[in-house]
């Protein structure tokens, strides 16, 4: 069975601070995908990134960056120079490739509050 | 391009009733997935449909069912509602079969069971 752990329930930062959201996953499959989704107050989940298990290269997209380390089964997400608009719940998720399709296993989410 | 549309956005039911939720995917998308979100259990996968066929099913009782129509629109039904069914039900669509996670979500249908 798959499991995703987001140990940080809530994080509060002041605008312009950098913040890292942690994600640890468990799976026995060797082929899988990891994701981050953002859920603003409106409710819809917004796709941020997908990373497959064979690609450990870190990725940067604007103020967002992701650090994937198979050795520690972690896929952490860093927001640089946070802004108030970044306030949301962030979910890490896992999908196995074999028969997994679009069945995602989500973590419990991290509520990020960015204050002025 | 219109996003994923879910109706109704909010509804209140009483225990024992049944409910049907609707999801219209993004035009051209053929895969539709449903997720339940509750404070206690978080986001849990319900089922996935592609070309009118259920491809995956989560660990939910048989009271939860769904279907997909030829135009890719999907409905989910919950019969004999229980208090614990109160949740935000999210629908997601993707273009391909087994897009493995790059899903486009709707804003959800918030169900309250009294």
């Amino acid at each position: 069975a798959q499991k995703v752990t987001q140990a940080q329930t809530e994080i509060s930062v002041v605008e312009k601070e950098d913040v890292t959201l942690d994600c640890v996953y468990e799976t026995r499959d060797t082929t899988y995908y990891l994701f981050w989704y953002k859920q603003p107050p409106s409710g819809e989940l917004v796709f941020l990134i997908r990373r497959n298990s064979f690609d450990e290269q870190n990725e940067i997209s604007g103020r967002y960056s992701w650090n994937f380390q198979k050795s520690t089964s972690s896929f952490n997400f860093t927001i640089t120079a946070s802004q108030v608009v970044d306030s949301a719940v962030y979910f890490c998720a896992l999908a196995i490739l074999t028969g997994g399709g679009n069945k995602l296993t989500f973590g419990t989410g991290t509520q990020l509050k960015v204050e002025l | 391009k219109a996003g994923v549309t879910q109706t109704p956005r909010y509804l209140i039911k009483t225990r024992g009733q049944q409910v049907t939720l609707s999801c219209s995917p993004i035009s051209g998308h053929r895969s539709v997935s449903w997720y339940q979100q509750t404070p206690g259990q978080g986001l849990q996968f319900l089922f996935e449909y592609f070309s009118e066929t259920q491809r995956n099913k989560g660990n939910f009782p048989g009271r939860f069912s769904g279907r997909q129509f030829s135009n890719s629109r999907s409905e989910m039904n919950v019969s004999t509602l229980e208090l614990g069914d109160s949740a935000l039900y999210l629908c997601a669509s993707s273009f391909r079969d087994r897009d493995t996670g790059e899903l486009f979500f709707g804003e959800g249908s918030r169900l309250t069971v009294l």
Side-chain angles (χ1 to χ4, degrees):
Chain A
Q2 290 73 44
K3 184 178 180 182
V4 176
T5 301
Q6 294 180 256
Q8 304 153 308
T9 305
E10 184 173 321
I11 300 176
S12 290
V13 298
V14 176
E15 201 175 39
K16 298 185 182 178
E17 284 186 11
D18 298 346
V19 57
T20 295
L21 309 181
D22 298 332
C23 173
V24 175
Y25 63 93
E26 296 175 31
T27 180
R28 292 182 179 178
D29 285 73
T30 56
T31 304
Y32 51 88
Y33 284 95
L34 294 164
F35 311 85
W36 277 94
Y37 278 86
K38 174 182 180 180
Q39 187 175 41
S42 54
E44 83 277 19
L45 287 162
V46 179
F47 170 85
L48 295 177
I49 189 172
R50 175 178 63 186
R51 173 68 69 214
N52 73 54
S53 53
F54 298 109
D55 182 4
E56 287 193 72
Q57 188 173 9
N58 292 330
E59 181 159 339
I60 298 174
S61 176
R63 295 184 298 108
Y64 295 170
S65 62
W66 291 269
N67 181 273
F68 176 30
Q69 293 192 341
K70 286 180 74 172
S71 61
T72 56
S73 297
S74 65
F75 186 45
N76 297 336
F77 173 31
T78 297
I79 302 175
T80 302
S82 60
Q83 300 175 2
V84 173
V85 293
D86 296 327
S87 297
V89 181
Y90 291 85
F91 291 93
C92 181
L94 167 72
I96 60 171
L97 189 61
T98 310
N102 288 321
K103 179 180 179 180
L104 269 64
T105 298
F106 283 90
T108 51
T110 297
Q111 170 84 58
L112 174 64
K113 295 184 178 179
V114 182
E115 301 167 332
L116 292 171
Chain B
K1 194 179 202 181
V4 177
T5 303
Q6 293 188 243
T7 57
R9 290 291 314 281
Y10 303 90
L11 67 166
I12 299 173
K13 294 285 187 177
T14 57
R15 280 183 299 174
Q17 287 187 312
Q18 74 164 8
V19 65
T20 299
L21 309 178
S22 178
C23 172
S24 293
I26 291 173
S27 178
H29 284 195
R30 298 166 64 191
S31 170
V32 173
S33 307
W34 289 89
Y35 288 81
Q36 180 197 64
Q37 185 176 22
T38 60
Q41 299 298 317
L43 278 156
Q44 293 186 288
F45 173 79
L46 280 158
F47 23 66
E48 176 191 8
Y49 289 88
F50 182 82
S51 293
E52 302 178 66
T53 301
Q54 187 178 89
R55 303 302 294 266
N56 260 313
K57 190 177 190 305
N59 296 323
F60 279 82
R63 301 185 296 106
F64 291 80
S65 62
R67 58 178 175 169
Q68 186 181 33
F69 302 96
S70 58
N71 61 358
S72 294
R73 190 177 70 86
S74 178
E75 289 181 348
M76 67 162 284
N77 183 276
V78 187
S79 62
T80 319
L81 285 166
E82 301 177 358
L83 295 179
D85 297 333
S86 295
L88 179 67
Y89 291 88
L90 292 163
C91 169
S93 75
S94 64
F95 178 66
R96 287 179 296 270
D97 183 19
R98 305 189 190 288
D99 242 343
T100 323
E102 192 166 356
L103 306 174
F104 294 83
F105 281 84
E107 292 182 319
S109 292
R110 185 167 295 281
L111 170 65
T112 301
V113 182
L114 302 176

